[in-house]
């Protein structure tokens, strides 16, 4: 239903262009993400989820150690979809095999992965070692410690990393205890959304806010931030018409001041927003 609704909205949509669908891990193996609705990973289920149309599907997640994961990854690749690692207990060896079959993205590295241990072969090590996998990083300085962010960039190379916001369906909630439609409670404060038991659900910072954290909290340079949050996401998703300012690319621009306050938004050469 969500896919059909979004596709219908896209038909007459004007403004910032939504890119392709990202199905974030319907097939986890990490204990804290397992639930009664988890089903076998089959091509038939994938077809159902995307409503039989892969033309606007970009990323589809599955843990490399999930049952039939390799066959499922092969099917995604045959449809032109990028398979994504995450929510997993996989070993580094299983991660490499998944990369051999075309897995090339890692969902918000370290969050949703088995905790690293120096005696264990685990999925984070697999992603760090595997040049064919691009690593997403949540760079607010809390989801991932700044030292781990810098280590990841150093180990993989900055070209194989890109920044994300970790926004979710809970994002945009006001600070305080928020009661959801299903009766669950989300405690929102300091830019994050939490369960009452203290489990971090998602971020609550929009893009320019988390970009500011990447510079001021993590300690990255403005040039590094620009590459990680603009150029690299486009390159990692093979989008050649955006991500940089150069002849031949789209005139989609966000102008900000030194503290990343948005001053003007230009889409297709047309001004859509201008600050007072």
């Amino acid at each position: 239903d969500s896919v059909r609704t979004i596709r219908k909205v896209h038909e007459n949509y004007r403004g910032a262009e939504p890119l392709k669908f990202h199905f974030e891990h319907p097939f986890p193996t990490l204990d804290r993400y397992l639930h009664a609705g988890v089903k076998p990973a089959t091509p038939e289920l994938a077809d159902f989820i995307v409503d039989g149309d892969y033309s606007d599907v970009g990323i589809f997640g599955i843990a490399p150690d999930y049952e039939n994961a390799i066959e499922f990854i092969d099917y995604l690749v045959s449809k032109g979809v990028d398979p994504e690692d995450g929510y997993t207990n996989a070993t580094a060896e299983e991660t490499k095999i998944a990369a051999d079959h075309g897995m090339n993205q890692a969902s918000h590295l370290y969050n949703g992965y088995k905790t690293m241990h120096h005696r264990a072969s685990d999925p984070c090590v697999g992603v760090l070692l595997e040049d064919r996998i691009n690593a997403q990083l949540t760079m607010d300085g809390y989801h991932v410690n700044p030292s781990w962010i810098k280590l990841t960039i150093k180990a993989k190379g900055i070209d194989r990393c890109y920044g994300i916001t970790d926004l979710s369906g809970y994002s945009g909630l006001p600070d305080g205890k928020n009661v959801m439609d299903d009766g669950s409670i989300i405690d929102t404060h300091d830019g994050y959304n939490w369960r009452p038991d203290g489990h971090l659900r998602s971020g609550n910072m929009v893009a320019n806010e988390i970009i500011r954290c990447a510079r001021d909290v993590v300690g990255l340079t403005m040039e590094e931030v620009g590459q990680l949050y603009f150029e690299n996401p486009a390159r990692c998703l093979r989008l050649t018409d955006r991500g940089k300012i150069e002849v031949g690319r789209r005139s989609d621009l966000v102008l900000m001041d030194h503290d990343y306050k948005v001053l003007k938004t230009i889409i297709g050469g047309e001004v859509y927003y201008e600050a007072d």
Side-chain angles (χ1 to χ4, degrees):
D1 288 343
S2 297
V3 167
R4 288 172 179 168
T5 300
I6 292 168
R7 283 177 175 151
K8 185 176 180 179
V9 169
H10 283 185
E11 291 174 2
N12 299 303
Y13 187 83
R14 292 183 70 251
E17 181 185 356
L19 299 177
K20 294 185 177 184
F21 282 101
H22 173 198
F23 293 99
E24 189 182 353
H25 289 273
F27 305 114
T29 56
L30 203 60
D31 290 347
R32 65 180 179 271
Y33 296 103
L34 298 179
H35 54 85
V38 174
K39 296 177 171 62
T42 64
E44 293 76 19
L45 181 56
D47 292 347
F48 174 77
I49 292 173
V50 306
D51 203 28
D53 182 2
Y54 288 86
S55 62
D56 55 359
V57 178
I59 302 176
F60 205 123
I62 184 169
D65 52 330
Y66 203 86
E67 185 177 2
N68 300 323
I70 298 304
E71 292 85 351
F72 191 80
I73 289 169
D74 289 339
Y75 186 70
L76 294 177
V77 171
S78 76
K79 297 295 185 179
V81 176
D82 289 335
E84 180 185 58
D85 193 2
Y87 298 81
T88 177
N89 287 303
T91 63
E93 292 74 22
E94 288 171 321
T95 304
K96 180 183 183 304
I97 292 171
D100 290 341
H101 286 260
M103 179 171 279
N104 61 3
Q105 307 291 328
S107 183
H108 47 53
L109 188 59
Y110 305 111
N111 298 286
Y113 291 75
K114 184 175 70 174
T115 303
M116 292 177 69
H117 192 285
H118 64 281
R119 294 194 185 94
S121 173
D122 63 42
C124 293
V125 172
V127 171
L128 290 174
L129 290 172
E130 185 49 68
D131 288 345
R132 293 170 291 183
I133 297 179
N134 299 309
Q136 302 168 11
L137 289 166
T138 309
M139 301 190 205
D140 54 25
Y142 183 83
H143 275 80
V144 183
N145 184 277
S147 295
W148 281 97
I149 292 174
K150 292 174 181 177
L151 176 63
T152 305
I153 293 171
K154 186 173 183 177
K156 290 192 68 64
I158 195 169
D159 289 344
R160 298 188 185 96
C161 302
Y162 61 101
I164 59 171
T165 62
D166 198 41
L167 293 175
S168 73
Y170 302 115
S171 300
L173 293 172
D175 281 1
K177 294 189 181 299
N178 296 281
V179 181
M180 303 292 100
D181 291 341
D182 62 1
S184 62
I185 296 175
I186 298 296
D187 188 8
T188 301
H189 58 86
D190 301 320
Y192 307 99
N193 298 299
W194 311 81
R195 286 193 323 214
D197 63 3
H199 179 81
L200 180 63
R201 294 303 302 260
S202 73
N204 209 44
M205 298 181 188
V206 295
N208 63 313
E209 293 173 335
I210 201 168
I211 287 169
R212 187 185 306 116
C213 284
R215 183 193 67 182
D216 296 346
V217 179
V218 178
L220 301 176
T221 67
M222 293 190 77
E223 290 76 15
E224 290 170 331
V225 170
Q227 182 174 350
L228 288 163
Y229 271 92
F230 297 98
E231 181 178 354
N232 286 5
R235 185 186 51 75
C236 289
L237 298 175
R238 298 183 299 282
L239 299 170
T240 58
D241 63 343
R242 66 199 76 199
K244 296 175 68 175
I245 302 173
E246 65 180 19
V247 174
R249 301 207 180 210
R250 291 170 57 103
S251 53
D252 292 353
L253 306 169
V254 180
L255 282 66
M256 305 182 194
D257 67 13
H258 188 76
D259 283 326
Y260 297 104
K261 176 185 177 182
V262 177
L263 304 176
K264 184 180 293 188
T265 303
I266 302 172
I267 304 170
E270 180 181 349
V271 176
Y272 270 68
Y273 168 81
E274 192 162 7
D276 295 334

